[in-house]
Structures are given as C-alpha cells and as structure tokens.
Amino acid sequence: MTAAAQSGRRAVLQFVRTPQILMLGTVQGALFLFMFRYIFGGAIHPPGGLDYVDYVVPGFLVTGILWLGMAAAPGVAEDATTGVHDRLRSLPIPRSSVMVGRSLAATALTLWGVFVSGVVGFIIGFRPDADVASIALALALLVLATYSFTWVFIAVGLTSGSAQAAQGTATLLTIPLAFVSAAYVPAETLPGWMQPIADNQPLTILSNAVRALTL
C-alpha cells in the first residue's frame, strides 16, 4: 500500500507539473459537450419526448471515461521505454504496486475531467430528476467504470512499443466504443447491422444505467 501510494503520488505530481494535461482534458470535455448540445442537438430527438441535453449528458459522462482515461496509455508506455520501470524493478517493492499507484492517479485525473463535464452539463441545461440515493449510485457506477477502464489503458501502455503507439491504440479502441453506442444517440437510430453491436457493448449499458438512475 505504501509503494502504491508513492507511485500514485509520483504520477499525480507529473500531472500537476504539466498543467497542459489537466487543461486539455478539461477544455476538451467542455468543448465536445457544447458541440453535441448546440450543433447536433437540434437534429437529434430522443424517444419519449426527452430533451436531448438530458439524454446526452449522462452518456457524455460515461464516454468521458474513455476520452480522458486514454491518457494513461501513453504515460505508462513512456515510463516503460525510458527506463523508469527498470529503475523501479531494482527497488524492494511489489511490482504490482507501481501499476496500482498509476491506476489510482489516472482514475483521479479522469474523474476530475468527468466532474468538470458534469458542471458544464448543468450550465447548458441538464437537470437530474431522481432521489439522492439514485444519483449517488450513478456516481459510484461512474467511479467503478473509470477505475476498470483505467486498467484497460494501462494494459495498452504496457504492451505498446512507444508512447505514440499506445496513443494510437487507445484512440482506435475509444472511437468505436464511444460512437457505436447509445451514449450520444439512441441505439435504434443506428443501421440495423450495427444495432446488436451497440446494444451489447459496455458503454451502451453504462450510459443507459447512468441515464436511468439520474432521470
């Protein structure tokens, strides 16, 4: 636990000392949310008379886990290729503690971006219609999903030959998961052959769960 905490502290300090990482994630989330709300929102009509802003914000918070969390992949790959992991292997610590610490730091950074996106969602008109327990459960689900997907990106970083390769692989994973889902549009509006894929992938299930709990 001590080694994992120190590893996480190191990763957090990297984020803090590189303000661009924090700013880019924050600005990117707000920019995309504004685009979907005001550029595409007028052309998309969710079922049941639901306002598009109420439909898209829960899905956007879920997909933000990927867009923001994918930064863990190149970070891990860079540590692996620049000798950081080799130096850590020489220390009397469990090897798993290094990645556990990285996962905690990456989760914290991702959740910060998701929090900012949630604030922006309120600014542009999103209003949950649920009791406190349901909203708390939705938040707990977001935290669990964030931590889980962080390990996916850590695995990508560990198996990539460079930071650039890790970034490309993470992007290739994120784009189809984010867009072939019910996060931004109802799955039934997708082409028939694509709907079974969208209905049975994790981001659709997570988006529908968070949407149901908050609305």
Side-chain angles (χ1 to χ4, degrees):
M1 292 177 64
T2 301
Q6 291 300 315
S7 176
R9 178 177 178 273
R10 172 187 173 272
V12 169
L13 287 176
Q14 283 182 308
F15 297 143
V16 173
R17 291 170 181 171
T18 311
Q20 294 92 335
I21 297 177
L22 292 173
M23 290 301 298
L24 285 175
T26 302
V27 173
Q28 174 182 294
L31 180 61
F32 270 91
L33 190 51
F34 270 101
M35 288 175 59
F36 277 96
R37 170 69 173 94
Y38 294 110
I39 296 178
F40 303 120
I44 301 174
H45 305 285
L50 190 67
D51 289 339
Y52 183 66
V53 64
D54 290 328
Y55 181 90
V56 75
V57 169
F60 191 86
L61 296 180
V62 171
T63 57
I65 293 171
L66 297 187
W67 294 113
L68 299 167
M70 63 189 292
V76 170
E78 184 177 6
D79 284 349
T81 56
T82 56
V84 174
H85 290 173
D86 292 334
R87 291 194 293 273
L88 292 173
R89 286 193 188 98
S90 67
L91 300 176
I93 60 174
R95 292 187 177 186
S96 61
S97 64
V98 179
M99 292 300 102
V100 170
R102 167 67 75 164
S103 70
L104 294 174
T107 298
L109 178 65
T110 302
L111 288 175
W112 164 253
V114 171
F115 168 75
V116 172
S117 296
V119 172
V120 174
F122 271 92
I123 293 173
I124 64 176
F126 172 69
R127 295 294 183 269
D129 185 19
D131 55 32
V132 175
S134 296
I135 294 176
L137 185 57
L139 294 176
L141 187 60
L142 284 173
V143 172
L144 178 62
T146 301
Y147 188 70
S148 301
F149 276 104
T150 293
W151 279 103
V152 175
F153 291 120
I154 287 176
V156 169
L158 290 173
T159 55
S160 300
S162 67
Q164 291 83 357
Q167 181 72 36
T169 303
T171 303
L172 192 64
L173 173 68
T174 296
I175 290 176
L177 277 176
F179 288 101
V180 186
S181 72
Y184 304 138
V185 297
E188 57 266 23
T189 64
L190 299 175
W193 61 270
M194 194 180 290
Q195 290 181 23
I197 301 173
D199 286 335
N200 295 283
Q201 62 113 319
L203 256 68
T204 290
I205 297 171
L206 286 168
S207 297
N208 287 339
V210 173
R211 196 174 285 125
L213 287 168
T214 56
L215 300 179

